[in-house]
């Protein structure tokens, strides 16, 4: 075993010992470390400066009680988290997730990924992530508001335009960002627009931020497909989830001539061979906040709801060329990946964070499927958040066309940086290696420059 490999394995063993029971965090670290042998060979200074050890240890981890009163007058207690992971490149930046499964380990896995993703955008943003085990599903607007106000009462001590700038993630959309921003404004008596991104358009938000992650994932996929002389035109596509990322991925695929034949939520999947009717889906999910099963009820005979199933279980008569997982982590198993490969898959890009299990990634790579990891493919969301921060700082607001053009340019840059780095490090076409190495080097160099802090 090379000395670089044994340095990597020593640090990984430390990560396991110091962070017991945090399997998703271990998985995220393992995936990055797997790409780093070649980097340490070229840059032994990173080992001497203990960059691996330092990059795995968050700069700060905040855990707090979130008490609030439900509509029945009962006191509810949730747990809040903010992990301020790495600020070598700029203020911490990353979303808040409200979902009953959220633990410290979830937030650490997401925060760790965020460091490299943010670095890859080329923008001046560090990495962080937060959230709570609060479940907004089935809660009234008033309950969600009281929860958000309580959450921000503590979080307000730790965030700020130059310190830490949260945004949305699963369970946190425009409604939640509004309540969080309102409470922050009230507590600080300042209209500090730059403290949160994903704001509404009339109070400091940016056009295209809502669409950015989904659009960006599709732009990234378009670039991957182009390397094989392919495009979305006429391609049949599966998208998992039906939330923010999924919705705008579907919109952009349709705009580019593709046809999305499946979408899902946590209760099941819909197969619609005629192509998802996005207006109907948005009306049900965004406006009525209902389940995707209602889509099948209202769409007509050809659309089928598969209770409890994943979108990756859909049996399609026609080949599926592109898969865009946009729901949650570890949602594609090895067997599901093998089925997609057998069904004619050409490309898969991760709109969600870490949706593809390690076994599934292996199957896709072995089959030569173009694989866009989340760090690269879904970075359009955070990049557009950085554009929102720029507009806030300059008291400006840009047009939709201008902002979308900036997003497209950023995604082209990420694709280029990722592909070139993969080539340079002897792994042509391997976007995982390219994204991990390009992101890592940018952060590691900044950490070296800033000294031991
Ligand atoms: P939303 O809450 O808007 O939507 C999430 C969707 O995924 C819903 O359809 C939800 O179904 C489904 N889902 C969530 N958890 C599970 C689960 N455990 N099993 C099955 N389905 C599930 O979140 P987003 O669209 O914002 O986020 C989706 C993914 O994209 C996440 O991985 C997030 O980290 C990632 N991401 C988001 C960014 C953003 O800008 N929003 C930026 C970069 C990455 P249901 O409603 O039934 O729960």
């Amino acid at each position: 075993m090379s000395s670089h490999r044994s340095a990597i394995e020593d640090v990984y063993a430390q990560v396991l010992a110091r962070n017991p029971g945090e399997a998703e965090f271990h998985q995220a670290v393992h995936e990055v470390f797997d790409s780093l042998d070649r980097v340490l060979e070229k840059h032994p200074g990173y080992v001497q400066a203990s960059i691996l050890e330092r990059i795995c240890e968050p700069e700060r981890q905040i855990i707090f009680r979130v008490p609030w009163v439900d509509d029945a007058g009962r006191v509810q207690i949730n747990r809040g988290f903010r992990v301020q992971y790495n600020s070598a490149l700029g203020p911490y930046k990353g979303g808040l997730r409200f979902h009953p499964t959220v633990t410290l380990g979830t937030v650490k896995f997401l925060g760790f990924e965020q460091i490299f993703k943010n670095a890859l955008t080329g923008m001046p943003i560090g990495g962080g992530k937060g959230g709570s085990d609060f479940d907004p599903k089935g809660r009234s607007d008033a309950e969600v508001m009281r929860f958000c106000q309580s959450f921000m009462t503590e979080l307000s001590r730790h965030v700020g335009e130059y310190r830490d700038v949260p945004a949305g993630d699963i369970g946190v959309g425009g409604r939640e960002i509004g309540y969080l921003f309102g409470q922050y404004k009230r507590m600080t008596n300042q209209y500090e627009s730059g403290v949160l991104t994903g704001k509404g358009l009339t109070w400091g938000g940016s056009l295209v931020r809502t669409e950015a992650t989904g659009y960006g994932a599709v732009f990234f996929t378009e670039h991957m497909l182009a390397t094989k002389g392919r495009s979305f035109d006429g391609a049949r596509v599966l998208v998992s989830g039906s939330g923010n990322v999924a919705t705008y991925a579907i919109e952009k695929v349709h705009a580019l001539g593709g046809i999305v034949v499946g979408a899902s939520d946590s209760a099941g999947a819909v197969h619609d061979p005629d192509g998802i009717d996005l207006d109907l889906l948005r009306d049900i999910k965004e406006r009525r906040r209902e389940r995707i099963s209602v889509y099948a009820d209202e769409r007509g005979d050809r659309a089928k709801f598969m209770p409890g199933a994943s979108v990756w279980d859909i049996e399609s008569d026609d080949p599926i060329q592109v898969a865009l997982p946009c729901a949650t982590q570890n949602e594609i198993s090895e067997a599901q990946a093998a089925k997609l490969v057998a069904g004619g898959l050409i490309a898969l890009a991760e709109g969600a964070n870490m949706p593809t299990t390690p076994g599934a990634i292996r199957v896709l790579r072995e089959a030569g499927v173009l694989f866009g990891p989340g760090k690269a493919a879904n970075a359009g969301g955070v990049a557009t958040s950085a554009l929102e921060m720029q507009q806030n700082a300059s008291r400006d607001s840009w047009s939709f066309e201008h902002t979308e053009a900036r997003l497209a340019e950023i995604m082209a840059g990420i694709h280029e940086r990722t592909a070139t780095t993969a080539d340079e490090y002897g792994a042509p076409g391997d976007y995982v290696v390219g994204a991990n190495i390009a992101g890592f080097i940018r952060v590691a160099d900044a950490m070296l420059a800033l000294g031991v802090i």
Side-chain angles (χ1 to χ4, degrees):
M1 192 190 300
S2 73
S3 62
H4 310 115
R5 181 52 17 206
S6 70
I8 291 171
E9 300 216 335
D10 287 351
V11 179
Y12 186 63
Q14 266 179 38
V15 167
L16 296 184
R18 293 182 93 159
N19 305 277
E22 297 178 349
E24 291 165 342
F25 174 55
H26 303 161
Q27 183 183 337
V29 173
H30 191 272
E31 194 255 351
V32 172
F33 277 16
D34 224 22
S35 305
L36 294 185
D37 293 72
R38 304 167 172 95
V39 180
L40 300 188
E41 209 171 297
K42 268 202 186 172
H43 306 270
Y46 294 155
V47 178
Q48 279 143 25
S50 298
I51 293 292
L52 290 189
E53 290 90 325
R54 283 156 66 186
I55 219 163
C56 290
E57 187 64 22
E59 289 174 16
R60 194 170 297 104
Q61 307 181 54
I62 302 147
I63 304 180
F64 51 99
R65 182 172 68 194
V66 189
W68 56 283
V69 180
D70 69 17
D71 286 347
R74 277 187 304 264
V75 174
Q76 300 279 345
I77 300 297
N78 286 98
R79 186 171 283 181
F81 304 94
R82 187 71 185 166
V83 172
Q84 298 181 329
Y85 223 117
N86 192 300
S87 60
L89 293 174
Y92 310 105
K93 183 89 199 83
L96 298 170
R97 177 175 292 191
F98 292 169
H99 194 272
T101 58
V102 167
T103 62
L104 180 61
T106 319
V107 178
K108 276 161 71 180
F109 119 63
L110 291 163
F112 185 75
E113 292 252 310
Q114 196 82 42
I115 304 171
F116 307 103
K117 178 189 311 190
N118 293 4
L120 209 49
T121 65
M123 297 168 115
I125 39 181
K129 200 84 189 188
S132 173
D133 58 0
F134 172 70
D135 187 358
K137 258 192 229 110
R139 291 292 180 189
S140 68
D141 284 353
E143 288 177 315
V144 171
M145 180 180 75
R146 288 194 292 274
F147 172 81
C148 288
Q149 290 176 339
S150 179
F151 185 87
M152 182 50 90
T153 301
E154 173 61 32
L155 190 71
S156 63
R157 305 166 200 259
H158 311 289
V159 293
E161 183 180 352
Y162 297 107
R163 185 178 294 164
D164 184 355
V165 185
D169 190 82
I170 290 178
V172 179
R175 174 182 62 171
E176 290 74 18
I177 293 291
Y179 295 146
L180 292 163
F181 184 68
Q183 180 72 352
Y184 184 81
K185 186 178 83 62
R186 180 192 198 187
M187 292 179 69
T188 57
N189 192 25
Q190 288 196 70
Y191 209 101
E192 186 188 333
S193 301
V195 70
L196 289 170
T197 58
K199 298 182 294 295
L201 296 178
T202 53
W203 42 277
S206 171
L207 284 161
V208 190
R209 175 60 191 93
T210 309
E211 295 83 353
T213 309
Y215 278 19
V218 174
F219 291 151
F220 190 87
T221 314
E222 220 187 351
H223 289 293
M224 290 202 303
L225 288 169
T227 64
K228 301 250 181 216
R230 308 291 291 248
S231 75
F232 271 107
D233 198 21
R236 297 180 86 77
V237 181
L238 289 175
V239 173
S240 65
S242 48
N244 171 263
V245 180
T247 299
Y248 294 98
I250 297 172
E251 185 171 271
K252 191 50 84 181
V253 169
H254 285 174
L256 294 174
I259 168 165
V260 176
V261 297
S264 62
D265 63 19
S266 56
V270 158
H271 182 204
D272 187 349
D274 297 333
I276 296 283
D277 174 344
L278 192 59
D279 289 340
L280 176 61
L281 186 69
R282 288 185 60 179
D283 183 52
I284 291 166
K285 298 299 291 190
E286 287 180 3
R287 197 179 63 76
R288 293 192 250 159
R289 292 184 188 275
E290 286 183 324
R291 313 302 298 156
I292 206 167
S293 54
V294 175
Y295 174 91
D297 297 342
E298 297 184 10
R299 171 72 167 143
D301 291 349
R302 296 247 300 154
K304 265 204 308 280
F305 177 62
M306 300 153 58
S310 146
V311 89
W312 316 118
D313 299 324
I314 286 176
E315 302 285 347
S316 169
D317 295 336
D318 302 302
I320 300 291
Q321 285 97 6
V322 180
L324 300 174
C326 297
T328 194
Q329 62 270 22
N330 289 325
E331 54 163 297
I332 305 186
S333 68
E334 191 172 334
Q336 287 167 330
K339 189 171 157 200
L340 287 168
V341 167
L345 193 72
I346 299 168
L348 181 150
E350 296 184 326
N353 286 309
M354 212 168 76
T356 322
T357 55
I361 295 177
R362 199 173 45 248
V363 168
L364 298 171
R365 275 171 153 174
E366 281 168 12
V369 170
L370 294 161
F371 177 72
K375 281 184 203 81
N378 71 37
V382 73
T384 309
S385 278
L387 300 181
E388 182 173 331
M389 290 161 75
Q390 283 182 29
Q391 292 169 77
N392 292 152
S394 60
R395 305 272 194 276
D396 199 0
S397 53
W398 306 342
S399 69
F400 193 95
E401 292 70 25
H402 175 71
T403 319
E404 189 183 5
R406 289 286 306 267
L407 169 65
E409 208 178 285
I410 290 166
M411 295 315 295
I414 293 174
H415 179 269
E416 170 67 20
R417 213 164 296 142
T418 310
T420 314
T421 308
D423 284 348
E424 193 186 322
Y425 282 83
D430 191 330
Y431 292 96
V432 174
V433 167
N436 285 339
I437 295 182
F440 177 83
I441 289 179
R442 186 159 180 248
V443 183
D445 285 348
M447 290 172 75
L448 283 181
L450 299 183
V452 179
I453 52 169

